[in-house]
């Protein structure tokens, strides 16, 4: 009987955790885009799942107050936390080992912070990484329901193939 319970638990535990954790990495140059993306996700999400959405913002040093003010004035209601990418060891490693040009926005240190996601968010096992220049046109909970079961210890990354703006669902 105990073995049957363990098998049942293992087969159904993926349905217990309905939370969706989304990570957005940006600096204050894209805070308005970040809020537009959050708004589009909230607008398109199944209303019964809104409490399951958690936004994690990884931003540049000394920009927390600015983002908090924008969120406050946006009147959007959602679960979020803000972390500043300020770990001196990570930043030193990036500066010492990556070719960063200070005058080039592509070379911004936050672009390299993605390599440290698992070290920064150690308590999260599944994260949807989103660029701030996106708009969500569908229910993001479908990603959880249709694809999260594919993630396990051997498969830690799912990505979308770029198909020149065609609808991705027809190519899966």
């Amino acid at each position: 009987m105990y073995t049957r319970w363990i098998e049942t638990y293992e087969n159904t535990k993926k349905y217990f955790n309905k939370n969706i954790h989304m990570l957005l990495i940006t600096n204050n140059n894209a805070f308005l885009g970040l809020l537009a993306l959050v708004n589009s996700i909230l607008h398109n999400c199944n209303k019964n799942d809104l409490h399951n959405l958690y936004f994690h913002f990884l931003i540049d040093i000394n920009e927390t107050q600015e983002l908090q003010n924008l969120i406050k004035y946006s009147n959007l209601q959602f679960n979020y936390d803000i972390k500043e990418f300020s770990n001196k060891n990570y930043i030193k490693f990036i500066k010492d080992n990556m070719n960063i040009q200070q005058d080039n926005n592509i070379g911004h240190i936050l672009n390299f912070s993605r390599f440290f996601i698992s070290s920064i968010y150690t308590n999260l096992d599944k994260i949807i990484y989103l660029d701030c220049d996106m708009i969500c046109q569908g229910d993001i909970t479908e990603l959880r329901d249709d694809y999260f079961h594919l993630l396990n210890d051997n498969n830690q990354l799912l990505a979308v193939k770029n198909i020149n703006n065609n609808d991705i669902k027809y190519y899966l």
Side-chain angles (χ1 to χ4, degrees), residues 42-124:
L42 297 173
H43 178 75
N44 288 296
C45 182
N46 177 332
K47 301 307 177 212
N48 295 327
D49 271 317
L50 286 174
H51 66 281
N52 293 324
L53 302 181
Y54 294 88
F55 294 86
H56 304 276
F57 305 128
L58 185 59
I59 61 173
D60 216 344
I61 299 171
N62 299 322
E63 295 184 344
T64 298
Q65 190 61 51
E66 182 179 353
L67 181 55
Q68 286 176 332
N69 289 341
L70 284 171
I71 292 170
K72 177 183 173 185
Y73 294 121
S74 73
N75 292 322
L76 294 173
Q77 301 293 315
F78 59 96
N79 302 310
Y80 71 93
D81 68 68
I82 300 172
K83 289 188 179 184
E84 293 182 354
F85 188 67
S86 59
N87 183 301
K88 290 181 179 17
N89 292 329
Y90 296 160
I91 292 171
K92 180 177 178 352
F93 177 82
I94 292 169
K95 287 181 178 179
D96 290 349
N97 294 290
M98 308 294 177
N99 185 12
I100 297 178
Q101 299 172 358
Q102 296 300 329
D103 60 340
N104 185 343
N105 199 28
I106 293 174
H108 193 284
I109 202 155
L110 282 174
N111 286 326
F112 297 94
S113 67
R114 296 175 188 133
F115 297 116
F116 301 95
I117 291 172
S118 63
S119 299
I120 296 169
Y121 294 96
T122 57
N123 60 326
L124 303 177

